[in-house]
Amino acid sequence: MRNWYRATIGGLPRLYWYLWSGMLINRVGGFVALVLSLYLTSDRHLTLSVAGLVGGSYGIGGIAGVLLGGVLADRWGRRPTLLLAHFGAVVMLAGLALAEPIWLIAALAALLGLMHAMPGPAFVAAIVDVTPAADRSRAFNLQFWAFNLGMAVASVLAGALAEMSFTLLFAVDASATLVTAVLILWKIPETRPAARTASASASASASAKPSGGLHTALTDRAYMLFVALSLLLAILSTQTSTILPLAITADGLRPSVYGSVVAYAALLIVVGQLFVPRLIDRWRKGTALAVANVFLGLGFAAVSLADGVGGYLAAATIWTVGSMIAAPPNAAVIAELSPEALRGRYQSVFYLTFPAASFIAPAAGGVSLQYLGDWHWVVCGALGLLAAAGHLLIQPARERRVARQLEAERFAVPVAG
């Protein structure tokens, strides 16, 4: 037990644990994004398609938030960006709970999406700032674990609170966000290296400014093909927080059933993710991603057959296996394709897939579910199979690209983006 503690938890700086605690508290209280579509249809009485479009505005805000959060974290600093995002989210949550006109609800949902997406780059940058390089892998593993644990707790609470009062749900979410903001204000100083050594940072950046920019990632064919396939995976995964609650309630089940299903899936990840790397260690990365997308597709296709709690739990088991298999090779492929000097820009392009999916999944999914019914889930299954085939097709060319890049780096030859 002592060896496990040292290998998994021990030795990380105290400031990291403040950041970790803030992320966990905020995730546990992050209800609204999980049940926004349910709130819009049951409390605001919007149609499925209109609710999907309004919910999609949350994703549009998230796209802007990812980019804005990264820029502000580097220009203003990590701490100001985190404070702005969390205090801003509190205001947006209060406004969304009280808003009546549909246009205002859509605008506030977009701003809430922006505020929720902004902290991501700043949190990651702060963890890198305060954690020694040798400990960063453990730090991010624990962050991933905290995210899924928080998701599990939030899902159960969200379903229960939705049955009691949506106003109470918004109030608890805002309170958790406020607690995180106060923790940041109280315990987390600015961690940006430039803030501590401004003159040294200025001279270093002048002498070691990386070549290329965001356009380098956007014009990297091999990378953008991978990002496009990752977007399909993200659209499938986002079904759980956008369209799945509508399907569950359409089957006459209580909102708490949805919370239990998502909590079950998150707990599977918390437990099972520890064993996945050893399972797929010998697989080629594209093969692992293809298998992951097949499981995701089959899992969501199985929702078309589910009409009770057992059916939804079985479907969740299948798609969660896909999510667990996808995580390690996804991170490895991004690292392989990213030039060393442009890793941040390449990461920002990849992470845009999540807010993009947060728009596409509810906007298209609401219409699809309304007019196709259970066939919507069959379409999701087909998307999973399409993404799996795509990963197998691009795998040889991507591996050749990685081999050339490694060879060039070995002989210190610059690699074109």
Side-chain angles (χ1 to χ4, degrees):
M1 187 68 177
R2 184 176 300 175
N3 290 336
W4 175 87
Y5 176 85
R6 282 200 298 264
T8 308
I9 297 176
L12 292 171
R14 179 178 298 179
L15 188 51
Y16 165 79
W17 289 110
Y18 289 137
L19 291 164
W20 183 91
S21 299
M23 287 185 285
L24 179 61
I25 294 168
N26 204 25
R27 185 66 266 170
V28 168
F31 309 131
V32 169
L34 293 174
V35 295
L36 183 59
S37 58
L38 192 59
Y39 165 71
L40 294 172
T41 54
S42 64
D43 196 74
R44 296 300 186 182
H45 308 294
L46 302 182
T47 65
L48 290 176
S49 54
V50 173
L53 291 172
V54 173
S57 66
Y58 177 91
I60 293 177
I63 294 173
V66 167
L67 296 175
L68 182 61
V71 171
L72 293 181
D74 285 336
R75 292 187 178 179
W76 283 8
R78 320 321 188 194
R79 188 171 187 264
T81 303
L82 291 171
L83 290 173
L84 172 64
H86 285 87
F87 281 119
V90 172
V91 175
M92 298 310 149
L93 285 165
L96 196 56
L98 300 174
E100 293 291 340
I102 294 177
W103 67 266
L104 182 57
I105 293 174
L108 289 171
L111 289 172
L112 181 63
L114 185 144
M115 295 299 174
H116 277 174
M118 276 178 60
F123 266 130
V124 172
I127 289 174
V128 173
D129 293 340
V130 305
T131 308
D135 294 329
R136 285 173 190 161
S137 177
R138 292 191 298 124
F140 284 111
N141 281 336
L142 288 166
Q143 177 200 5
F144 181 73
W145 182 85
F147 178 87
N148 284 284
L149 178 62
M151 175 71 78
V153 177
S155 300
V156 173
L157 292 178
L161 289 173
E163 292 184 2
M164 297 169 60
S165 166
F166 279 103
T167 301
L168 178 61
L169 185 145
F170 276 90
V172 174
D173 192 333
S175 298
T177 305
L178 185 61
V179 169
T180 304
V182 171
L183 176 64
I184 294 167
L185 189 64
W186 179 33
K187 288 293 187 180
I188 300 175
E190 178 54 54
T191 65
R192 184 170 54 127
R196 300 193 298 267
T197 56
S199 59
S201 177
S203 62
S205 61
S207 61
K209 185 178 180 180
S211 60
L214 195 60
H215 68 278
T216 307
L218 293 172
T219 55
D220 185 331
R221 184 174 179 272
Y223 187 69
M224 291 308 297
L225 283 173
F226 169 75
V227 169
L229 293 173
S230 299
L231 177 60
L232 291 180
L233 185 148
I235 290 171
L236 288 175
S237 300
T238 308
Q239 299 296 314
T240 58
S241 60
T242 56
I243 307 303
L244 185 66
L246 301 178
I248 288 177
T249 54
D251 280 335
L253 301 174
R254 295 156 62 93
S256 57
V257 172
Y258 164 68
S260 299
V261 170
V262 178
Y264 167 74
L267 287 173
L268 279 182
I269 292 177
V270 170
V271 176
Q273 196 69 43
L274 299 174
F275 306 98
V276 168
R278 181 176 296 180
L279 173 67
I280 66 172
D281 187 47
R282 297 182 180 180
W283 296 6
R284 295 165 69 185
K285 297 178 182 66
T287 303
L289 288 169
V291 172
N293 278 278
V294 168
F295 272 98
L296 278 162
L298 291 177
F300 286 110
V303 173
S304 65
L305 304 175
D307 56 5
V309 177
Y312 282 104
L313 291 177
T317 301
I318 300 171
W319 82 59
T320 302
V321 170
S323 297
M324 291 191 292
I325 293 174
N330 253 336
V333 169
I334 297 169
E336 286 179 345
L337 293 177
S338 304
E340 185 175 355
L342 300 175
R343 283 176 181 163
R345 292 169 176 84
Y346 271 63
Q347 288 281 352
S348 68
V349 171
F350 172 77
Y351 277 104
L352 282 175
T353 61
F354 299 109
S358 295
F359 167 70
I360 296 172
V367 175
S368 175
L369 187 66
Q370 181 171 345
Y371 292 102
L372 298 181
D374 284 340
W375 283 99
H376 164 78
W377 302 107
V378 177
V379 172
C380 288
L383 285 179
L385 297 179
L386 177 65
H391 278 294
L392 293 176
L393 286 173
I394 71 170
Q395 180 169 240
R398 192 190 68 244
E399 290 176 342
R400 290 194 296 269
R401 149 72 183 275
V402 171
R404 289 195 302 269
Q405 186 163 311
L406 290 174
E407 188 70 15
E409 290 174 356
R410 183 182 304 171
F411 292 100
V413 177
V415 179

